[in-house]
Amino acid sequence: MNKWAYVFIVLGAALWGLIAIFVEGLYEYGFTPLQVVSIRVLTSAILLVIVVLVKNPALMRIDWRDSFYFVGTGIFSIVFFNWCLFTAIQETSIAVAAILLYTAPAIVTLLSRLLFKEWLTMRKMGALFLTLVGCVFVIGVIPGGTSSVSAYGVIVGLCSGLGYALYSIFGKYALEKYSSMTVTLYTFIFATVAIAPFSGLWNQLDTLLKTEVILNTVGIGFFSTVLAYLLYTIGLQYVESSRASITATIEPVVATLIGVFMFREPLSGWQLTGIILVLSAVMIVQEKRKEAVQHSITYEVK
């Protein structure tokens, strides 16, 4: 199952890489970052409730004393990081926002060491280094990058990385008691309850019913959210948080390729080098079976 776990994580991250298409599509109709986050979490919550009711209503049962798990995944992570990410896209660019978001693996690696006592191996550190360098090359920050990015854009971008990292941390705790479907469901229910009342979406019902807006809503709600998070959360059950987060950095690579093939954006040699580095990190982070088993046994003993 371990190899399939990485496949699920990569597929989920690839779907996340599509999100800028739908975000930009909604921005064209005048929606604010807060409203786009609301559209994302509300649509996702509705879809997930339908799926769970059809598949297995028992998955909706939780101990409400565990609500803090979902406050963590839904509010501190999903709402916070999405607002920061979508604001960073407006303030900087999709590429710059992506690299700032992917400071998350470094945060997850450090937090996982402190909270879960996960091994900080040389292989993992090497993969993390390749990932960070690769992401920098992909967005074109170096060589020859510009310094025109606003301080506010950098701050909210870095905060998006922190919020993104918190999903892996809180999610790991929640998965000790609940299935991946239950965790994902309540993540978006809590996120919706927290943000929808402040969105003002009811003032734009006519716009929401336009065909293009509906298509972008389905894209951001189903493909880049529900399906993506289910795949990632399933994989997270079998993979350490830090390793899962590093593997998910395939997302900015996907975003870059979409820019090249869909929007005819040029792909420089440095960007191609960055893609290769990130893909190499994904392979390197998967430790040999024997080594992983040894670490697992040691962790259980501790």
Side-chain angles (χ1 to χ4, degrees), residues 133-140 142 253 256-257 260-261 266-280:
V133 174
C135 286
V136 168
F137 283 165
V138 165
I139 70 161
I142 57 174
V253 176
T256 299
L257 293 176
V260 171
F261 292 106
L267 179 65
S268 69
W270 286 109
Q271 287 178 312
L272 182 59
T273 300
I275 290 174
I276 294 172
L277 288 175
V278 173
L279 292 176
S280 298

Side-chain angles (χ1 to χ4, degrees), residues 5-25:
Y6 284 104
V7 172
F8 291 144
I9 291 169
V10 168
L11 289 175
L15 289 174
W16 282 330
L18 301 176
I19 197 169
I21 298 173
F22 311 121
V23 172
E24 293 289 359

Side-chain angles (χ1 to χ4, degrees), residues 158-173:
L158 290 172
C159 285
S160 73
L162 172 61
Y164 179 43
L166 291 177
Y167 183 79
S168 290
I169 300 301
F170 284 108
K172 198 71 173 178
Y173 281 118

